[in-house]
Amino acid sequence: MICYNCGCRLSEHDFCTGCGADVSTYKKIMFMSNRFYNDGLEKAMVRDLSGAIISLRQSLKLNKNNIDARNLLGLVYFELGETVSALSEWVISKNLRSKKNIADDYIDMIQTNQARLDTINQTIKKYNQALLYCYQDSQDLAVIQLKKVLSYNPKYVRAHQLLALLYINMEEWEKAQKELAKCSQIDTNNTTTLRYLREVEHMLQPEEPAKGAGKKKSATNGVMRYQSGNETIIQPMNKKEVRGVSTLLNLGIGVIIGVAIACFLILPGQIQSAKADINDQLRVVSEQSDAKTATIDELEQKVQKLTDDNAQLSEELASYQNTSGAMMVSDGLMMAVNAYMEEPENIERIASYLETIDAGDEDAKEAQKERSEAFTVLYNRLLEALGNNLVDFYYNAGYESYRAENYEEAIPNLQKAWKYDNTKSEALFYLGNSYHRNGDDDNAKETYALVIDHFPDTDFANKSETALAEINNAE
């Protein structure tokens, strides 16, 4: 333990041996903070996460620099699905201790995984949308959103609890019990979960009357009294039940009264309710029809406008057809320069745009012969900036294809490597080998001759002479 005044290590005495400050109270506070931390750790190990949060917060109130307690609090939040709260604790911990802090690993684990970050963002958005649906009394939409939230983050306790609460409101007790059981598996002693679970179990298993609370019977003054719980039922004695015609008469009167009530009280209300429902449906259908009519008119106007725009663009395209080749070449160079400015290390992307300069239709090839001075300067500067990266890219691709005996793919890549660097003897030699092994002996002989002329007295020149002699002898 370090002295808060001078930073000297404290001894068993109640004063600092370095500066003499009284540290008795300070030691008690530090001991209590560590005690709450240990209590939180024990609760977290038995998945009493709510209790662990309370203990760890108390530990941090006593000592905000308790890094272990803060990191553990972040882990508990993360286990409950509260990723934002967990990141907050870890960031604070990292600011308090920038070196040798495991919070760095926790933060990197989340921030370096873009898919996990997107999932966290979607979880928060959909949970907030579910809350909004609840406030708007759209329970079905809220249930759908919460199910999506739990598909992203199955440990999000708040989402489980809110979904269970919606099921309780819809009186779907068994579904609510399943969600609360999942909450209990994550956090065994969550007060909200236990309160909801008690209500659900009360509805699924109503309490039976206690044993011994049966009826008690006593007879006094010509009446029979029954005691059922706290209620007393009194029944006269020595009175015979009237049966026969009177029973049938009472039954008939009851039926007549029931029919009359249905006709004069219930039936008109139901008819009125049905008429109101029909009127509401007619109004909704009318509004939908008006909306669809307006949409159709709007779409027709858009179609007409698009048709007119298409005709105008067709005319403009016809006027530009003669310059399409030059535009294609210029666009290729511009896209290559833009790609270099955005990602200078992405040689593959830059090379793909440069290839459009040499490819294309007849107009594009004709435009290449009429390049402007500005085009040529920009093109040469781009090649100069790329340096050997472009050459190495094509050479490596061609050589890999050559090693794989895929000579048709090796030839164009080796040609480009030689085109961009006419000092690369290995590219020219392997190009000749690719021609020869692909059955194109004419180009192979020309290529071997170039190797001999440009790189005399080299190993590649000697190999080229040998290969050229083999081709001539074979003919």
Side-chain angles (χ1 to χ4, degrees):
M1 188 178 300
I2 305 299
C3 176
Y4 65 88
N5 188 32
C6 65
C8 179
R9 185 173 296 277
L10 298 178
S11 63
E12 68 276 6
H13 302 292
D14 289 339
F15 58 89
C16 176
T17 57
C19 63
D22 184 7
V23 294
S24 58
T25 304
Y26 174 72
K27 282 185 175 182
K28 291 179 182 179
I29 293 173
M30 293 298 103
F31 288 148
M32 288 300 297
S33 176
N34 292 333
R35 182 174 180 181
F36 278 115
Y37 165 70
N38 292 330
D39 183 62
L41 179 60
E42 291 177 358
K43 290 180 179 179
M45 292 177 66
V46 295
R47 300 202 70 83
D48 182 8
L49 303 184
S50 299
I53 289 175
I54 296 173
S55 297
L56 292 172
R57 282 180 174 173
Q58 189 63 35
S59 175
L60 293 175
K61 284 182 181 179
L62 296 172
N63 180 14
K64 69 177 183 179
N65 295 321
N66 194 335
I67 301 300
D68 293 334
R70 197 171 293 278
N71 290 339
L72 180 58
L73 181 58
L75 287 175
V76 173
Y77 278 136
F78 187 76
E79 184 67 15
L80 289 172
E82 303 286 347
T83 309
V84 176
S85 299
L87 282 173
S88 300
E89 297 298 332
W90 292 333
V91 169
I92 295 173
S93 173
K94 184 178 179 180
N95 290 330
L96 293 175
R97 184 195 293 171
S98 58
K99 297 181 179 179
K100 295 183 179 180
N101 192 339
I102 196 172
D104 286 334
D105 298 334
Y106 298 152
I107 295 172
D108 293 339
M109 176 185 65
I110 296 177
Q111 292 184 345
T112 57
N113 190 336
Q114 187 61 38
R116 179 172 291 178
L117 275 177
D118 294 340
T119 300
I120 292 171
N121 291 333
Q122 289 295 325
T123 301
I124 296 172
K125 290 179 181 178
K126 291 186 181 297
Y127 179 77
N128 292 335
Q129 185 64 43
L131 282 177
L132 180 61
Y133 285 144
C134 291
Y135 294 143
Q136 296 172 352
D137 200 21
S138 300
Q139 298 183 12
D140 294 337
L141 295 177
V143 169
I144 294 172
Q145 288 295 327
L146 289 172
K147 287 183 178 179
K148 291 180 181 179
V149 169
L150 293 174
S151 66
Y152 293 144
N153 189 358
K155 293 186 177 181
Y156 199 0
V157 173
R158 285 190 183 181
H160 282 295
Q161 291 174 342
L162 182 57
L163 182 57
L165 188 60
L166 290 173
Y167 283 143
I168 290 173
N169 192 40
M170 293 185 290
E171 297 185 358
E172 296 183 4
W173 310 108
E174 293 182 354
K175 292 183 179 180
Q177 188 180 36
K178 290 181 181 179
E179 293 300 325
L180 294 173
K182 294 177 182 178
C183 292
S184 298
Q185 292 176 358
I186 301 170
D187 185 3
T188 58
N189 201 24
N190 189 289
T191 306
T192 304
T193 301
L194 295 176
R195 186 171 68 250
Y196 292 169
L197 191 59
R198 179 180 179 184
E199 295 297 328
V200 171
E201 290 178 348
H202 177 72
M203 297 304 299
L204 290 176
Q205 298 177 355
E207 296 180 359
E208 297 180 356
K211 295 182 179 180
K215 295 180 180 179
K216 295 182 179 180
K217 182 171 64 175
S218 63
T220 57
N221 298 328
V223 295
M224 183 70 69
R225 289 183 173 84
Y226 294 92
Q227 187 73 26
S228 178
N230 294 327
E231 296 181 357
T232 301
I233 302 173
I234 301 175
Q235 178 181 351
M237 297 178 60
N238 301 324
K239 185 174 180 180
K240 295 183 179 179
E241 184 179 356
V242 181
R243 298 182 179 179
V245 177
S246 60
T247 302
L248 295 176
L249 181 60
N250 292 333
L251 183 59
I253 293 173
V255 171
I256 294 171
I257 293 173
V259 172
I261 291 173
C263 293
F264 292 101
L265 297 178
I266 300 175
L267 190 58
Q270 291 182 344
I271 293 174
Q272 188 66 27
S273 177
K275 287 182 179 179
D277 291 340
I278 293 172
N279 291 332
D280 291 339
Q281 292 177 1
L282 287 175
R283 184 174 63 259
V284 172
V285 171
S286 178
E287 291 175 355
Q288 291 177 351
S289 177
D290 294 340
K292 288 181 179 179
T293 302
T295 304
I296 291 172
D297 294 339
E298 183 181 355
L299 291 175
E300 288 179 351
Q301 294 176 2
K302 288 183 179 179
V303 169
Q304 183 61 37
K305 185 177 182 304
L306 290 174
T307 302
D308 297 339
D309 293 344
N310 185 32
Q312 182 179 356
L313 290 174
S314 298
E315 294 176 359
E316 293 178 359
L317 181 62
S319 64
Y320 289 131
Q321 281 182 349
N322 294 329
T323 60
S324 61
M327 291 174 61
M328 181 182 297
V329 173
S330 299
D331 289 346
L333 180 57
M334 293 301 103
M335 293 170 70
V337 173
N338 184 54
Y340 176 77
M341 294 176 65
E342 290 179 352
E343 298 179 276
E345 70 281 357
N346 193 346
I347 301 301
E348 183 177 359
R349 182 186 175 195
I350 299 171
S352 65
Y353 290 137
L354 288 175
E355 288 176 1
T356 61
I357 299 175
D358 299 326
D361 54 13
E362 295 299 328
D363 292 336
K365 293 179 180 179
E366 186 66 24
Q368 297 172 22
K369 301 176 182 178
E370 300 176 0
R371 295 176 179 174
S372 65
E373 182 179 355
F375 179 94
T376 304
V377 170
L378 181 59
Y379 180 76
N380 292 334
R381 286 185 178 178
L382 177 60
L383 294 182
E384 182 180 354
L386 291 173
N388 293 329
N389 293 332
L390 185 63
V391 177
D392 293 341
F393 169 75
Y394 281 118
Y395 174 73
N396 292 333
Y399 186 68
E400 290 296 327
S401 300
Y402 172 80
R403 292 281 303 274
E405 299 183 358
N406 190 354
Y407 304 115
E408 292 183 357
E409 291 186 4
I411 289 172
N413 288 320
L414 293 173
Q415 285 176 339
K416 291 184 179 70
W418 170 250
K419 171 187 172 183
Y420 290 117
D421 184 5
N422 55 11
T423 63
K424 201 168 186 65
S425 58
E426 57 268 37
L428 190 61
F429 174 72
Y430 289 121
L431 176 61
N433 284 351
S434 299
Y435 278 134
H436 176 50
R437 297 180 183 181
N438 199 37
D440 190 355
D441 289 338
D442 293 336
N443 283 325
K445 290 191 291 184
E446 292 179 3
T447 306
Y448 287 139
L450 288 174
V451 175
I452 296 170
D453 292 340
H454 286 78
F455 309 102
D457 300 329
T458 62
D459 186 46
F460 288 118
N462 295 333
K463 292 181 179 179
S464 297
E465 291 176 354
T466 304
L468 191 58
E470 291 178 356
I471 295 174
N472 292 329
N473 292 334
E475 293 179 352

